[in-house]
Amino acid sequence: MPNSPDPSRTSAGTLLNTPPDNPTSSDYSVGQDNIEGKLGPIGFDIHNPVFVISALSAIAFVAYTLLMPEQANSIFSLLFSTVTKSFDWFFIGAADIFVILCLVIVVSPYGKIRLGGKTATPDFSYASWFSMLFAAGMGIGLMFYGVSEPLSHFTSAMGGTAVGVDGVRTDWAPLAAALTQEEAIRLGMAASIFHWALHPWAIYAVVALSLAFFSYNRGLPLTIRSAFHPIFGDRVWGWPGHIIDILAVFATLFGLATSLGLGAAQANSGFNKLFGMPIDSTWQVILIVGITSIALFSVVRGLEAGVKVLSEINMGVAFILFLFVFVAGPTLFLAADVVDYLLAYLQYLPALSSPVAREDVNFMQGWTSFYWAWWISWSPFVGMFIARVSRGRTVREFLISVLLIPSFVCVLWMTIFGGTAINQVVQDGYTAVQSAALPVQLFTMLDALPLASITSFIGIVLVIVFFVTSSDSGSLVIDTIAAGGKLDAPVPQRVFWCVFEGLIAVVLLLSAGGLKSLQSMVISTGLPFTIVLLLMCYAIIRGLASEPR
């Protein structure tokens, strides 16, 4: 539960107390450029022109994709191919920079700075804090890829390398593949951990730290543009800031839409196994509509009564499923190998994170580049959400917690779920899990364990609640950006963004090539926002350097 309000906090629309000699303080007040009014009974409080341009662009995108699906599909495919092949080095190199920056700040004197000032106290307990940041940041993805990714990398590593007539590798194995089964397991797990541990959480941490610091310590609006005040000065309240916030809205919309599409595909597969629901785009659209409707209820209830409660429930249910798979699966095998997999991750990390001189082009572009673009497109949403719930932590406490604790949970999840599936293939000869489609591999793995119907149902519930948590927390964040940093904008605005997240996922699934189109838009919006994040790294260093300690 939140602590008592700190006197330095004021209501939205007013300027927080900042030192008069602060080099990055500003006279800008939250919401001063907003347009307020009513359309009939519906009130609005929107930032002009961020909301207008973002909303009209979202509407135009939905209309274009529905009216010209074949042309849209061709454009999306071209974007995916061009960006992944031409900018793979850029995504990978940028992610390395984010990790290095976070580690440097942790060991520097800047780590003593407290978000919100020296007397600030945390608004949430550790349990609530971890539940919210983890559920918002990784939920659906871990459910979708927790079994399938380690199994995929293990299988491709065992398959060895293959070179086409042009001399370019055509296999999907990470690095140079593996010569033995044991090496393939270690490489497969290392590659999976690489995609879910330090690098993605460093991306989130950079955005979250920037937003929290410039909002709580400098009194600037809790919106993406505020992090760039050390670079642009008060020009950040003009078009440079408008462009940054609009890019953040686009990146968040498509990042969420991709996750919603993955969640719908997996929920569809689970319902198929339990109840015989057909696996097709129509049912996935029905699921997106139904679950988005549930998310609307949580959005209306807000952060405390909606997102916080759902996050805590979800983490409890996820722990129950995790514990069951650990106990019912090859427990001794998995417990002994956690440390080995961590060592394998550290062993292969330099090669996996290298942005140049790579031969494993399919793995590098199809897996790593996509993942980094996906995490970057989620970073405005997750970063702002983490910032909203992280006031009162020191910078060192914040970075260590955001980097290491979720990373370790991801390692454990991949080890237990992915390790169980690999053990079923290697030790038990259970090849059904290996040959199943990606969305259904979780449920196929559970089939080989006791109480399969019950655990599969729990898995579906987790996917749905993670789905809802991502949608409603994303809607809150997008609304904050589009409302100029206001945290108490009218509820119908949150509803608008929640509906459009689901609508974008629906039209991309139904009209323009399915999940491949969702991935294409994530890659495309992630590219320009990577540049934004690199500039943010410079801005946060300048901000921390000027903070009294």
Side-chain angles (χ1 to χ4, degrees):
M1 296 296 293
N3 296 314
S4 300
D6 187 272
S8 68
R9 300 181 75 183
T10 61
S11 61
T14 60
L15 183 65
L16 302 184
N17 296 326
T18 52
D21 58 345
N22 197 311
T24 56
S25 63
S26 172
D27 292 331
Y28 187 87
S29 296
V30 178
Q32 73 176 35
D33 293 330
N34 283 19
I35 300 174
E36 300 182 49
K38 282 192 173 183
L39 288 174
I42 300 175
F44 60 88
D45 188 352
I46 60 176
H47 187 278
N48 183 40
V50 173
F51 181 93
V52 175
I53 294 177
S54 300
L56 291 179
S57 298
I59 294 170
F61 176 85
V62 169
Y64 168 72
T65 307
L66 285 173
L67 295 174
M68 307 184 72
E70 293 184 4
Q71 185 182 84
N73 188 26
S74 299
I75 292 175
F76 298 154
S77 297
L78 179 63
L79 284 172
F80 186 85
S81 175
T82 302
V83 175
T84 54
K85 290 180 180 178
S86 302
F87 294 96
D88 50 359
W89 61 271
F90 181 65
F91 285 121
I92 295 173
D96 292 342
I97 290 173
F98 302 143
V99 173
I100 293 169
L101 175 67
C102 289
L103 296 177
V104 168
I105 293 176
V106 164
V107 300
S108 75
Y110 302 150
K112 297 179 181 179
I113 295 171
R114 187 170 295 276
L115 299 174
K118 295 180 180 180
T119 61
T121 56
D123 293 333
F124 299 96
S125 67
Y126 275 115
S128 295
W129 187 41
F130 292 150
S131 295
M132 286 190 286
L133 70 89
F134 188 80
M138 291 290 183
I140 291 177
L142 275 182
M143 292 299 295
F144 192 91
Y145 288 109
V147 169
S148 61
E149 185 171 354
L151 196 57
S152 295
H153 296 329
F154 161 72
T155 302
S156 60
M158 279 296 294
T161 60
V163 180
V165 293
D166 55 358
V168 177
R169 276 176 54 178
T170 58
D171 64 273
W172 283 78
L175 303 180
L179 297 177
T180 66
Q181 187 177 82
E182 181 181 355
E183 184 186 357
I185 294 173
R186 295 183 79 250
L187 178 57
M189 292 303 302
S192 301
I193 293 170
F194 171 61
H195 289 149
W196 291 87
L198 286 179
H199 281 74
W201 287 99
I203 292 169
Y204 293 161
V206 166
V207 179
L209 177 60
S210 299
L211 295 177
F213 175 79
F214 286 107
S215 177
Y216 300 139
N217 292 67
R218 299 301 165 84
L220 303 182
L222 186 61
T223 188
I224 305 297
R225 70 174 71 200
S226 295
F228 297 87
H229 193 272
I231 298 176
F232 296 109
D234 282 345
R235 287 178 299 161
V236 81
W237 313 125
W239 274 104
H242 299 337
I243 293 171
I244 289 168
D245 279 351
I246 291 168
L247 284 174
V249 171
F250 288 161
T252 304
L253 275 175
F254 289 110
L256 284 169
T258 299
S259 298
L260 300 185
L262 292 175
Q266 190 169 35
N268 190 188
S269 298
F271 281 121
N272 172 263
K273 288 193 72 68
L274 289 180
F275 308 113
M277 176 187 287
I279 297 179
D280 57 40
S281 58
T282 301
W283 279 103
Q284 290 170 18
V285 167
I286 292 172
L287 286 170
I288 290 175
V289 171
I291 298 171
T292 300
S293 300
I294 299 172
L296 286 172
F297 177 73
S298 180
V299 161
V300 171
R301 289 173 63 84
L303 180 64
E304 282 287 336
V307 179
K308 176 177 176 287
V309 173
L310 278 176
S311 298
E312 292 174 345
I313 292 172
N314 225 22
M315 291 306 294
V317 177
F319 179 74
I320 292 172
L321 182 62
F322 172 90
L323 195 62
F324 172 82
V325 175
F326 177 68
V327 173
T331 306
L332 294 177
F333 169 81
L334 297 173
D337 282 343
V338 171
V339 175
D340 187 45
Y341 293 156
L342 276 172
L343 292 175
Y345 165 60
L346 296 176
Q347 173 189 340
Y348 290 111
L349 180 59
L352 289 169
S353 59
S354 173
V356 295
R358 298 281 292 269
E359 295 182 355
D360 53 343
V361 288
N362 281 336
F363 173 82
M364 179 183 179
Q365 296 170 0
W367 281 99
T368 305
S369 291
F370 164 68
Y371 265 135
W372 290 175
W374 190 14
W375 302 149
I376 288 168
S377 71
W378 263 53
S379 65
F381 147 50
V382 181
M384 185 176 291
F385 187 78
I386 293 174
R388 285 189 65 173
V389 299
S390 298
R391 184 181 179 277
R393 310 289 176 183
T394 66
V395 169
R396 182 172 292 116
E397 176 189 17
F398 172 88
L399 287 177
I400 290 174
S401 298
V402 173
L403 281 179
L404 297 186
I405 293 177
S407 293
F408 186 65
V409 172
C410 289
V411 170
L412 291 178
W413 190 277
M414 288 287 178
T415 298
I416 300 304
F417 284 77
T420 297
I422 291 173
N423 185 75
Q424 289 173 345
V425 173
V426 172
Q427 301 295 331
D428 305 334
Y430 180 61
T431 59
V433 65
Q434 195 172 24
S435 57
L438 289 185
V440 80
Q441 284 184 327
L442 169 65
F443 305 106
T444 308
M445 181 271 288
L446 293 173
D447 272 349
L449 301 177
L451 306 175
S453 296
I454 296 175
T455 55
S456 292
F457 182 75
I458 292 174
I460 295 172
V461 171
L462 273 174
V463 170
I464 291 174
V465 183
F466 273 131
F467 194 143
V468 172
T469 305
S470 297
S471 180
D472 58 12
S473 51
S475 302
L476 290 170
V477 167
I478 294 175
D479 184 45
T480 300
I481 298 172
K486 279 196 171 182
L487 304 181
D488 58 353
V491 171
Q493 293 173 204
R494 303 180 209 161
V495 172
F496 172 84
W497 292 115
C498 185
V499 169
F500 262 86
E501 289 160 21
L503 194 55
I504 288 173
V506 165
V507 298
L508 287 172
L509 276 176
L510 194 61
S511 304
L515 288 176
K516 190 70 174 179
S517 295
L518 289 167
Q519 293 172 336
S520 300
M521 294 312 300
V522 163
I523 286 281
S524 303
T525 54
L527 179 61
F529 208 74
T530 304
I531 300 171
V532 172
L533 260 62
L534 289 172
L535 288 174
M536 191 178 284
C537 292
Y538 172 70
I540 188 60
I541 289 296
R542 285 193 59 179
L544 292 172
S546 62
E547 178 76 358
R549 294 187 292 280

